[in-house]
Amino acid sequence: MSNSYPKFAVVGNPNKGKSSIVASLSLDDSIQIGNTPGTTQVKRGFPLKVDGKIIYELFDTPGFQRARAVFAWLEEHGDVSADRRIDVVKQFVMEHRDNPRFKDEVELLEPIINGAGIIYVVDASKPYGAEYEIEMEILRWCGQPSMAILNLIGDEDYREEWSRALGQYFRLVRTYNPMSAGHQEHIELLESMAQLKEEWTKSIKEAIVALEMLYLEKIEQSAEQIVEYMVKTLSYVEKKRIKGETGTKEEEEELTENYRAKIVTFEKEERVEIERIWNHINIEKSEELLALEDMGLFSKESASIFGLTQKELILTAAATGATAGAAIDLFAVGHTLLVGALVGGVVGGVGAMFGFDNLYEVKVLGKSIGKREISVGPMQNVNFPYILLGRALYHASKVAKRSHAVRDSLNLEEQPFSSEIFESSIRKELEKVHVKLRKQEEPKEELLVSYKEVLFKLFRQLLS
Ligand SMILES: Nc1nc2c(ncn2[C@@H]2O[C@H](COP(=O)(O)OP(=O)(O)O)[C@@H](O)[C@H]2O)c(=O)[nH]1
Ligand SMILES: [Mg+2]
């Protein structure tokens, strides 16, 4: 294929969401988006690359400023047949290149006269007005393949009147919301764009295939990342040299504090990696999120949101044939409940099931005093892996669904999914790895591969 990938200039009045649309369609969250008109001063090309190859390029442009004066000039110089009008526009750009009065118009017309298609953006939550007709006329004179996008910035909906007018100037009119659009909406818009010009159809169809592959790849990479994180976290052992025969209370407290801090760090690092995979490099964290990151992992709240229910824990224990291990192993709880010897309250009920008061078994290592160490880990709580996984999948799905036009901080406050996503066959598969990690054994490669496959499926399901 030649390197003449499709190019589109995104044009329109200031503050209609042009830059937002470019950000969303180029999967680039570094694009300047502003509340004040004039945020975008000069045009800039944003290529969407897949495997180093550009599949299309979008030009973010400043809005029209002096459409009326430009059109007057065109009419004055343009007593020509329709097929020659583009030459008049070219002449305008050439003659005004250094004229600050028409800086914005020159910027936005330049990519178009160089062959870019036109994406004209309007805010259809505001009423249509004839004042837009001048700029639409100018664009029509360019004779390039064109499409109008109805962006609903506010709550009202004037799309009908807009469509009646836009239909007279543009080949296609589509609704697209850059703030909420995800992968599916992106693909659908590209399918429309493929119809704009016969020569572009093939390369835009290829772009769609490339994007679909990229999307699956990102899901796969995310699953891989989460597996790596789970293994690292669940097998982690924190050690501390002690002075005496056994650890003092302070020494034990410091040890468990360091252990917790490490696990929290692992989660933070994992989140950054997921955000990098999805190209959300500049994501901001809300106060709530930071708080959740710092303390939430070990909270009862997080456990009750993301962990398994008591019933699910019991079933998991039964299905994997687990036996009561360490004193704090919650399999023991499930097991006991299962045989009916004890009832909930005896072991502290839900609190003990979800709580983290007694999670760490502090072991003393080494023989001679002075060389002794205390250690904590790997985590014995049967529910803990599901809390980690639930939180990781929830965060990853939020990031994956997030439009690159959104500049708000990431909000993880909405009601997350329940533990039902870990249905029994899934738990059974996952538990094969969790059991190994709890026993400080290295899981076989094929176990990790099927673990990853389970996460891949779960993640896709959460994204659909
Ligand atoms: N709620 C909402 N806000 C939007 C939408 N599109 C753009 N905005 C906001 O409108 C402002 C202008 O957007 P921008 O993309 O910079 O417009 P441009 O001047 O046409 O490039 C920014 O504050 C955007 O966040 C939308 O679909 N919904
Ligand atoms: Mg802009």
Side-chain angles (χ1 to χ4, degrees), residues 60-72:
D60 190 17
T61 70
F64 280 101
Q65 293 294 342
R66 295 198 161 80
R68 203 166 287 278
V70 174
F71 193 58

Side-chain angles (χ1 to χ4, degrees), residues 52-289:
K53 196 179 129 201
I54 299 178
I55 61 175
Y56 58 76
E57 184 170 16
L58 298 163
F59 291 93
D60 190 17
T61 70
F64 280 101
Q65 293 294 342
R66 295 198 161 80
R68 203 166 287 278
V70 174
F71 193 58
W73 192 97
L74 293 179
E75 278 196 309
E76 201 182 312
H77 296 75
D79 191 13
V80 295
S81 55
D83 63 317
R84 300 276 316 282
R85 283 177 170 169
I86 180 73
D87 297 329
V88 183
V89 180
K90 281 181 181 167
Q91 196 191 334
F92 172 85
V93 171
M94 263 179 20
E95 286 188 22
H96 297 87
R97 208 160 252 146
D98 302 317
N99 185 341
R101 218 168 100 78
F102 294 111
K103 196 175 157 293
D104 288 358
E105 275 77 12
V106 167
E107 287 288 337
L108 80 86
L109 288 171
E110 212 154 30
I112 301 173
I113 59 173
N114 288 329
I118 297 166
I119 296 180
Y120 183 66
V121 182
V122 303
D123 176 3
S125 68
K126 300 221 177 81
Y128 174 73
E131 67 271 22
Y132 295 96
E133 284 160 23
I134 306 278
E135 58 198 50
M136 297 199 287
E137 263 322 325
I138 297 172
L139 295 172
R140 181 153 68 178
W141 274 50
C142 297
Q144 282 297 95
S146 63
M147 154 174 204
I149 288 186
L150 303 165
N151 183 18
L152 289 171
I153 295 187
D155 295 333
E156 282 170 81
D157 189 344
Y158 294 96
R159 278 182 293 179
E160 249 184 71
E161 51 185 83
W162 272 104
S163 297
R164 273 198 301 277
L166 292 167
Q168 299 174 47
Y169 295 89
F170 301 96
R171 293 187 201 167
L172 285 175
V173 181
R174 291 281 180 274
T175 302
Y176 184 78
N177 184 329
M179 310 306 269
S180 63
H183 174 70
Q184 202 46 45
E185 291 80 10
H186 187 174
I187 297 288
E188 279 161 19
L189 191 70
L190 283 180
E191 273 160 1
S192 297
M193 285 155 76
Q195 299 163 24
L196 286 178
K197 187 179 177 184
E198 234 181 324
E199 279 169 70
W200 290 347
T201 307
K202 190 164 165 276
S203 43
I204 296 180
K205 295 255 179 220
E206 282 172 4
I208 291 172
V209 173
L211 264 184
E212 295 280 21
M213 303 241 299
L214 181 69
Y215 186 66
L216 288 178
E217 228 168 75
K218 286 178 177 187
I219 297 177
E220 171 119 27
Q221 285 171 4
S222 305
E224 258 164 36
Q225 189 61 49
I226 296 175
V227 174
E228 198 182 294
Y229 157 68
M230 291 298 288
V231 172
K232 190 169 160 188
T233 305
L234 292 177
S235 59
Y236 185 69
V237 178
E238 175 82 24
K239 289 179 185 165
K240 183 179 167 52
R241 186 67 76 85
I242 52 170
K243 296 203 181 75
E245 183 122 0
T246 57
T248 63
K249 195 160 176 283
E250 285 84 59
E251 283 169 334
E252 288 191 3
E253 267 169 18
E254 201 187 321
L255 175 76
T256 52
E257 197 37 61
N258 291 345
Y259 174 77
R260 279 179 181 232
K262 200 63 176 225
I263 303 269
V264 169
T265 305
F266 290 159
E267 187 182 59
K268 279 188 183 161
E269 289 168 352
E270 184 267 340
R271 290 184 171 189
V272 171
E273 283 307 309
I274 294 291
E275 286 156 18
R276 187 189 52 76
I277 289 170
W278 293 92
N279 228 23
H280 282 290
I281 314 294
N282 304 299
I283 215 161
E284 250 185 59
K285 307 287 172 70
S286 67
E287 294 287 311
E288 296 81 20
L289 176 58

Side-chain angles (χ1 to χ4, degrees), residues 15 18-20 32-34 39-40 60-62:
N15 252 12
K18 298 183 295 299
S19 296
S20 303
Q32 276 192 15
I33 290 169
T39 306
T40 313
D60 190 17
T61 70

